[in-house]
Amino acid sequence: MKKLLLTLLASLALVGGAAQASEGGAAWDKFPSAKTSDLAALQNGAKLFVNYCLNCHSAAFMRYNRMRDIGLTEAQIKDNLLFATDKVGDTMKASLDPKQAKEWFGALPPDLSVIARSRADIGKGSGADYLYTYLRTYYRDDTKATGWNNLAFPSVAMPHALWELQGQRVAKFVEEKDPHDEAKSVHRFAGFEQVTPGKLSANDYDEAVADLVAYLQWMGEPAQGQRVRVGVWVLLFLSVFVVIAWRLNAVYWKDVK
């Protein structure tokens, strides 16, 4: 119960942070939703999650063996994804010690079990849209303690975990007149400049981020696909039953005056 309450509090903090970030952050890009039904993309996303996210962030409500639902065998999970435990039935806990995390970052990194669902914003898009934008808009900023900043979440405390894949970039800004007040100027984003190359090209990096976000979205509700399929069959059954009930009603009242 204590663990559940702590997770809920962390989720509320994330929602608050997302709302605050959305007020001053960049517009969100559209996440390629077809990725959520692509098993190869989900498997690659799981690999990226374990290698780059699970070092600091947990997914306490997700078990490794649930990844069999995205086409991975138990042997594949054991050989490629088990770094923090040796049991496939264990939950996905971070390898980082909680005491060290609090000492280094000032707070425990949030649990990512339902991160894609908690980040939704009616005015901007889905949680997947936010994460897709967030992970693609990091840039170098020497004025920040971590050396990184983010367009989607200005002054973010989290450093860029995927910088080796994307490389290092700086953001270019220009000063413009405020359209609502000519006496003021606004700081407008004018693009990125690549400083050092990453292991992936820009297109390949976007694809990798889309795979990771697809996995994060799937992880928030692993049974979503099954629920949708069952829902379709239920609606078809009800449609047929309505026709049968309508005809039975007509036959029953045919001779009643």
Side-chain angles (χ1 to χ4, degrees), residues 16-256:
Q20 188 178 28
S22 66
E23 291 177 2
W28 297 355
D29 295 329
K30 188 66 178 175
F31 164 69
S33 57
K35 289 279 188 179
T36 55
S37 57
D38 185 341
L39 291 183
L42 290 171
Q43 291 170 10
N44 186 47
K47 177 183 176 182
L48 291 169
F49 177 78
V50 169
N51 281 279
Y52 291 96
C53 304
L54 201 56
N55 295 317
C56 299
H57 297 274
S58 292
F61 299 100
M62 179 68 181
R63 296 187 183 277
Y64 287 95
N65 58 10
R66 193 63 195 260
M67 286 189 278
R68 291 179 299 190
D69 294 351
I70 58 174
L72 294 173
T73 65
E74 194 164 304
Q76 288 174 324
I77 297 171
K78 284 183 177 180
D79 294 342
N80 302 301
L81 301 176
L82 289 187
F83 302 126
T85 182
D86 57 357
K87 296 180 180 179
V88 179
D90 283 350
T91 55
M92 303 182 78
K93 296 180 180 179
S95 55
L96 180 65
D97 181 79
K99 291 182 179 179
Q100 291 181 330
K102 193 169 184 179
E103 181 181 346
W104 295 341
F105 303 116
L108 289 175
D111 186 275
L112 300 183
S113 299
V114 293
I115 187 67
R117 302 181 70 180
S118 68
R119 288 292 191 170
D121 186 311
I122 296 176
K124 285 201 167 186
S126 68
D129 294 336
Y130 169 78
L131 293 173
Y132 182 63
T133 306
Y134 169 74
L135 292 171
R136 293 165 50 252
T137 55
Y138 265 99
Y139 62 93
R140 273 292 183 188
D141 186 347
D142 293 335
T143 66
K144 304 302 178 184
T146 62
W148 295 97
N149 208 335
N150 191 282
L151 288 183
F153 196 155
S155 300
V156 64
M158 174 181 159
H160 189 9
L162 304 177
W163 74 269
E164 289 183 327
L165 301 181
Q166 188 182 31
Q168 300 183 67
R169 305 184 300 174
V170 293
K172 295 183 291 183
F173 296 92
V174 295
E175 296 289 335
E176 292 184 344
K177 294 286 185 180
D178 190 330
H180 304 292
D181 187 349
E182 293 186 358
K184 297 181 179 179
S185 60
V186 293
H187 209 44
R188 185 178 66 83
F189 173 67
F192 290 113
E193 180 182 344
Q194 195 78 26
V195 177
T196 60
K199 294 180 179 179
L200 301 178
S201 66
N203 288 335
D204 289 344
Y205 179 77
D206 287 350
E207 285 291 318
V209 168
D211 292 348
L212 175 57
V213 173
Y215 174 76
L216 290 172
Q217 187 175 38
W218 172 82
M219 184 170 62
E221 190 180 357
Q224 182 178 12
Q226 182 181 2
R227 175 173 56 79
V228 171
R229 289 191 294 271
V230 171
V232 170
W233 283 108
V234 169
L235 289 175
L236 289 173
F237 169 77
L238 291 176
S239 299
V240 173
F241 184 77
V242 165
V243 174
I244 294 173
W246 172 62
R247 293 308 304 157
L248 284 173
N249 181 73
V251 171
Y252 181 81
W253 290 100
K254 180 175 62 174
D255 298 325
V256 178

Side-chain angles (χ1 to χ4, degrees), residues 4-20 110-111 114-115 118-119:
L4 178 60
L5 289 174
L6 289 173
T7 302
L8 289 173
L9 288 173
S11 297
L12 289 174
L14 282 172
V15 174
Q20 188 178 28
D111 186 275
V114 293
I115 187 67
S118 68
R119 288 292 191 170

